[in-house]
């Protein structure tokens, strides 16, 4: 890392930010100065009642009541409650700007489909779907599950489900039958929403047979509604039991009024799932009020979202970033949705979308930015990107070289906000700070209202040393529970078994001298050669600098009463793993990281297994290498890739 920032926000930009305005108003309200972000963050932790009530007021949360209590400690972190007397509706808050005809959603389905939905059209569609669901007997607390693309009708359906107090859960249509059933069979949905198919890499993919099979194996499902994406919804519906196209089903409800069920703050809004690569996915139940408040801070204060913004995040409906993206409607701007391959017809696809629609906030993954970098193409040479002012990255640690790429090849005057959190909290532990400089390879700050720290193995805070990312105080978007976990044992074991009454997230991280954070990878994937903990991201940051290497995956192999590092590399097409290339990779890792990071073996593979949300899965590969079967191959986007790692002769010596 370096002591010199790679970007400093201009004074005018800082002064006009939502965060600066919020700090000024909070100072007046509390009769105290908040001259720095650090001071504001300390206050947000020490006085949760004052901070979260100020967020509620500043961003105009709509509610039937807020109650007299803003925070109740509860004795243990997981028993704490925020606004226990409040009654509200999340969808009502997202649709409060809907009486206008400016675009609410602009959609691209690769080169096949272009749609724009105005705010008034979105409101009418939500009202129609909500009325339909009520007519089908859907009630508060019922589960509605969806196998859907990132499409405007998907967002309308989700908001309609929330309007009536039902509980949403979704996955993307590329999930296999087993993967869908592993998730949805646990929560017994009453309604199944699916698409008729989708487009990917220029191909039309029909999922009607899969949808019919899934519906038949979910005995609680009484009705199937099909989103018409590839033009086959009505035809597919005729071949299924109790199925209709969504468009046909809502036609009689075209003039229905929109009404909202205002539910308690902790009422479930949706159920998200863990990746499921080490067993049946955990069903993580999120609370509506907690998600709303957390996303208000992340969108308005950390991302600096404004009413005229056009917000984009490349995501599927099987990743929590979709849920995060949808909350961006709260500002009253426009969501930009893209479904399909980000590299079809070529690497310019998303940047074409950005230019065409005046994208102001561009969200993507670290892997996407690295993949674009490795093509050798420089977006700034071919695209204006005049409206773009913020780029967000998550999914895996953003390598220092990708910071360089963004500022040298995308746009030099850009707030690059690397962010990190998880499905578990449907939000971020660490994120961007619009008031602060960006340092190469660092995430800028802990998020407001979240008491982030880094502990050593003995549970002691450490600075500028690697350790476990933890949270020491309650925050609103902690899950309300796990489904089918009546005693709370699964919940406790997932987050609180490591340190007493402290949330342990499972990330290997360190504080920097600037007060930022570096994420070194998942703790359960941490390598331990000679008893020294090494984050896999540290190795990937070096490997990604080798032009011939598309991506790498590192694991620890049990060997000779110790652990040795094995690095698998997928090479750019046309290259082979020669002894000279192996030496260059090792030298890069030795010089860029340390001699301890150098792998004992470097092996070329044709593919690297990843989850449906695009994250590489070291644990599954580690199991295969050690002769253990992967319990849930359906959780992977490309499970066939695991067979490439089975019984490799190179690992026998």
């Amino acid at each position: 890392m370096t002591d010199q920032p790679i970007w400093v926000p201009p004074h005018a930009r800082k002064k006009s930010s939502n965060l600066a305005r919020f700090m000024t108003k909070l100072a007046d309200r509390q009769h105290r100065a908040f001259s720095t972000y650090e001071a504001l963050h300390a206050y947000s932790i020490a006085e949760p009642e004052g901070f979260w009530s100020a967020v509620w007021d500043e961003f105009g949360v709509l509610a039937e009541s807020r109650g007299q209590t803003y925070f109740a400690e509860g004795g243990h972190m997981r028993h704490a409650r925020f606004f226990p007397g409040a009654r509200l509706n999340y969808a009502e808050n997202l649709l409060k700007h809907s009486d206008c005809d400016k675009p609410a959603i602009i959609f691209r389905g690769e080169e096949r489909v272009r749609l724009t939905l105005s705010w008034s059209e979105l409101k009418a569609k939500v009202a129609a779907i909500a009325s339909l669901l009520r007519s089908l007997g859907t009630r508060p607390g019922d589960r509605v599950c969806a196998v859907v693309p990132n499409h405007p009708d998907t967002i309308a359906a989700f908001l309609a489900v929330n309007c009536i107090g039902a509980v949403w859960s979704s996955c993307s249509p590329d999930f296999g039958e087993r993967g869908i059933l592993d998730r949805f069979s646990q929560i017994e949905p009453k309604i199944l929403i699916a698409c008729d198919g989708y487009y990917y890499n220029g191909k039309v993919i029909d999922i009607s047979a899969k949808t019919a099979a899934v519906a038949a194996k979910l005995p609680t499902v009484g009705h199937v509604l099909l989103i018409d994406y590839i033009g086959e919804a009505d035809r597919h519906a005729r071949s299924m039991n109790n199925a209709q196209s969504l468009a046909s089903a809502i036609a009689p409800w075209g003039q229905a009024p929109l009404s909202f069920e205002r539910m308690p703050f902790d009422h479930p809004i949706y159920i998200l799932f863990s990746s499921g690569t080490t067993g049946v996915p955990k069903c993580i139940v999120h609370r509506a009020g907690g998600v709303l408040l957390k996303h208000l801070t992340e969108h308005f204060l950390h991302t600096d979202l404004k009413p005229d913004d056009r917000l984009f995040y490349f995501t599927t409906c099987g990743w929590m970033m979709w849920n995060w993206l949808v909350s961006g409607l709260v500002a009253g701007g426009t969501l930009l949705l893209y479904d399909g391959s980000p590299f079809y017809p070529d690497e310019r696809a998303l940047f074409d979308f950005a230019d065409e629609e005046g994208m102001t906030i561009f969200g993507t993954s670290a892997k996407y930015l690295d993949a674009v970098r490795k093509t050798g193409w420089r977006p700034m040479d071919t695209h204006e990107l005049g409206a773009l002012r913020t780029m967000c990255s998550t999914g895996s640690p953003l390598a220092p070289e990708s910071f360089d790429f963004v500022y040298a090849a995308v746009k030099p005057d850009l707030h690059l906000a690397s962010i990190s959190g998880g499905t578990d909290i449907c939000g971020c532990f660490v994120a961007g700070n619009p008031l602060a400089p960006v340092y190469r390879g660092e995430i800028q700050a802990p998020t407001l209202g979240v008491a982030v720290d880094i502990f050593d193995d003995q549970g002691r805070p450490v600075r500028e040393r690697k350790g476990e990312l933890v949270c020491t105080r309650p925050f609103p978007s902690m899950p309300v529970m796990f489904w089918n976990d009546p005693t709370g044992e699964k919940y406790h074991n997932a987050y609180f078994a490591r340190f007493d009454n402290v949330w342990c997230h499972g990330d290997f991280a360190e504080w920097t001298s600037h007060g930022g954070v570096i994420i070194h990878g998942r703790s359960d994937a941490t390598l331990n050669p000679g008893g020294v903990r090494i984050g896999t991201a540290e190795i990937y940051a070096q490997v990604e600098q080798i032009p011939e290497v598309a991506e790498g995956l590192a694991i620890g192999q049990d060997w000779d009463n110790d652990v040795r590092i094995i690095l698998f590399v997928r090479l750019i097409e046309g290259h082979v793993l020669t002894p000279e290339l192996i030496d260059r990779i090792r030298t890069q890792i030795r010089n860029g990281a340390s001699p301890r990071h150098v792998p004992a073996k470097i092996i070329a593979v044709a593919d690297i297994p990843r989850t449906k949300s695009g994250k590489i899965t070291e644990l599954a590969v580690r199991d295969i290498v050690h002769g253990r079967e992967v319990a849930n191959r359906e959780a992977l986007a490309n499970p066939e890739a695991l067979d490439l790692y089975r019984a490799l002769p190179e690992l026998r010596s």
Side-chain angles (χ1 to χ4, degrees):
M1 302 307 128
T2 175
D3 285 333
Q4 296 302 313
I6 196 169
W7 180 76
V8 177
H11 175 74
R13 179 165 176 169
K14 291 194 291 184
K15 187 176 180 181
S16 66
S17 68
N18 296 331
L19 182 56
R21 184 171 65 251
F22 178 77
M23 290 169 70
T24 299
K25 289 186 177 181
L26 186 62
D28 291 341
R29 176 176 174 144
Q30 296 296 330
H31 307 292
R32 58 194 291 182
F34 296 103
S35 58
T36 65
Y37 179 87
E38 290 73 19
L40 175 63
H41 185 264
Y43 170 80
S44 73
I45 300 307
E47 301 188 39
E49 303 98 325
F51 174 75
W52 290 109
S53 63
V55 169
W56 183 298
D57 291 340
E58 173 66 14
F59 302 117
V61 172
L62 300 178
E64 180 180 295
S65 62
R66 183 162 69 176
Q68 299 301 310
T69 302
Y70 301 161
F71 175 68
E73 191 78 48
H76 189 280
M77 272 185 72
R78 65 193 183 99
H79 299 311
R81 292 292 178 264
F82 291 84
F83 301 95
R87 295 187 69 87
L88 52 75
N89 183 277
Y90 167 91
E92 183 177 14
N93 280 274
L94 265 62
L95 293 169
K96 64 184 176 181
H97 303 290
S98 58
D99 291 324
C100 69
D101 288 325
K102 79 174 187 178
I105 298 172
I106 297 173
F107 171 75
R108 294 286 185 276
E110 293 195 343
E111 294 184 312
R112 303 281 194 132
V113 181
R114 293 175 175 238
L115 295 172
T116 298
L117 203 64
S118 72
W119 274 101
S120 57
E121 289 169 335
L122 174 62
K123 179 181 179 180
K125 183 163 281 192
V126 171
I129 298 173
S131 297
L132 168 67
L133 292 174
R134 286 185 174 106
S135 76
L136 295 175
T138 313
R139 299 291 179 261
D142 288 343
R143 276 75 63 207
V144 176
C145 290
V147 183
V148 283
N150 184 18
H151 185 279
D153 282 359
T154 300
I155 290 182
F158 160 59
L159 293 175
V161 167
N162 185 255
C163 281
I164 64 177
V167 185
W168 173 269
S169 193
S170 64
C171 65
S172 54
D174 59 340
F175 273 62
E177 178 184 332
R178 184 72 261 154
I180 297 169
L181 290 170
D182 281 347
R183 287 157 174 77
F184 294 165
S185 62
Q186 297 185 71
I187 59 176
E188 301 177 312
K190 191 167 188 175
I191 303 287
L192 177 65
I193 301 174
C195 58
D196 53 352
Y198 62 100
Y199 304 103
Y200 195 85
N201 206 27
K203 299 176 182 176
V204 182
I205 301 170
D206 186 320
I207 67 164
S208 56
K210 179 169 63 180
T211 301
V214 165
K217 293 173 183 175
L218 292 173
T220 56
V221 168
H223 301 275
V224 179
L225 301 170
L226 298 181
I227 292 173
D228 194 353
Y229 186 18
I230 65 170
E232 298 287 345
D234 281 315
R235 185 173 69 85
H236 290 341
R238 288 193 293 270
S239 67
M240 298 182 196
N241 293 325
N242 300 318
Q244 284 180 281
S245 73
L246 181 64
S248 298
I250 64 173
W253 304 98
Q255 302 302 314
L258 183 58
S259 61
F260 303 96
E261 296 289 338
R262 293 177 178 136
M263 308 300 292
F265 187 91
D266 285 349
H267 184 74
I269 179 173
Y270 35 61
I271 298 172
L272 305 184
F273 298 93
S274 62
S275 63
T277 53
T278 57
V280 176
K282 296 189 293 290
C283 309
I284 304 168
V285 183
H286 285 284
R287 61 191 91 202
V291 164
L292 178 62
L293 284 188
K294 185 75 169 83
H295 289 180
L296 286 174
T297 64
E298 294 185 10
H299 282 297
F300 284 118
L301 301 179
H302 290 281
T303 311
D304 200 32
L305 185 65
K306 305 285 181 65
D308 292 328
D309 273 329
R310 293 192 162 198
L311 172 65
F312 170 75
Y313 222 104
F314 180 72
T315 180
T316 72
C317 296
W319 188 22
M320 53 95 16
M321 290 310 299
W322 180 81
N323 306 77
W324 187 93
L325 173 65
V326 173
S327 288
L329 288 169
V330 75
T334 303
L335 294 190
L336 302 181
L337 309 184
Y338 184 93
D339 194 79
S341 169
F343 287 95
Y344 183 81
D346 56 35
E347 65 272 13
R348 304 184 182 200
L350 298 187
F351 287 93
D352 288 345
F353 190 25
D355 258 1
E356 290 166 7
E357 299 301 340
M359 188 184 294
T360 58
I361 300 170
F362 188 140
T364 186
S365 68
K367 287 296 180 186
Y368 170 78
L369 290 175
D370 184 59
V372 173
R373 178 176 70 87
K374 292 204 164 181
T375 67
W377 170 59
R378 291 164 43 90
M380 67 165 53
D381 293 342
T382 55
H383 289 63
E384 291 290 334
L385 303 176
L388 187 63
R389 73 170 194 277
T390 300
M391 178 169 272
C392 297
S393 169
T394 192
S396 60
L398 186 64
E401 291 69 31
S402 291
F403 280 74
D404 297 338
F405 170 73
V406 168
Y407 284 107
V410 178
K411 193 172 184 179
D413 186 16
L414 188 73
H415 181 197
L416 176 57
S418 180
I419 64 179
S420 182
T423 300
D424 319 75
I425 67 168
C426 199
C428 301
F429 281 113
V430 287
N433 174 3
L435 305 181
V438 173
Y439 288 89
R440 183 175 183 265
E442 299 184 17
I443 301 175
Q444 288 176 287
T447 52
L448 293 166
V450 182
V452 173
D453 210 339
I454 294 169
F455 279 8
D456 65 13
D457 289 342
Q458 285 71 49
R460 298 172 300 203
V462 293
R463 304 291 296 190
E464 298 183 52
R465 284 173 47 201
K466 297 166 191 171
E468 294 284 348
L469 181 76
V470 301
C471 182
T472 59
R473 295 274 292 159
F475 54 96
S477 70
M478 293 169 57
V480 66
M481 63 180 178
F482 285 179
W483 200 261
N484 294 327
D485 181 28
T487 66
E489 181 181 7
K490 293 178 183 177
Y491 191 139
H492 175 85
N493 290 340
Y495 310 117
F496 297 105
R498 179 77 185 274
F499 303 115
D500 182 40
N501 202 24
V502 170
W503 177 294
C504 185
H505 191 57
D507 278 345
F508 194 43
E510 73 176 295
W511 290 113
T512 72
S513 60
H514 312 114
V517 171
I518 300 170
I519 304 292
H520 292 290
R522 293 292 296 169
S523 297
D524 51 12
T526 298
L527 310 171
N528 291 279
V532 178
R533 297 183 79 191
I534 291 173
T536 54
E538 299 171 79
I539 294 175
Y540 302 152
Q542 302 308 317
V543 172
E544 288 169 0
Q545 297 183 56
I546 305 296
E548 296 90 337
V549 178
E551 59 182 343
L553 182 149
I555 65 162
Q557 183 193 17
D558 297 337
W559 190 260
D560 195 21
N561 297 315
D562 197 356
V563 174
R564 65 178 183 177
I565 298 174
I566 307 298
L567 174 65
F568 299 100
V569 291
R570 181 174 69 83
L571 300 177
I572 298 289
E573 188 174 353
H575 293 279
V576 295
L577 189 63
T578 62
E580 183 273 335
L581 180 53
I582 290 174
D583 286 344
R584 278 202 290 124
I585 294 171
R586 285 190 165 131
T587 299
Q588 178 66 47
I589 294 171
R590 181 180 292 108
N591 295 340
S594 82
R596 289 187 178 274
H597 291 73
V598 177
K601 300 271 187 175
I602 300 177
I603 301 169
V605 288
D607 199 6
I608 286 180
R610 58 187 68 252
T611 66
K612 298 288 188 180
S613 60
K615 299 177 183 179
I616 62 174
T617 175
E618 294 108 332
L619 298 186
V621 170
R622 191 172 70 190
D623 282 346
I624 291 292
V625 164
H626 288 96
R628 301 186 290 267
E629 286 302 315
V630 175
N632 193 0
R633 294 169 65 100
E634 282 284 341
L636 300 177
N638 54 341
E640 68 283 353
L642 289 176
D643 296 331
L644 301 172
Y645 300 80
R646 195 183 305 279
L648 290 172
E650 297 95 325
L651 297 181
R652 296 175 188 163
S653 62

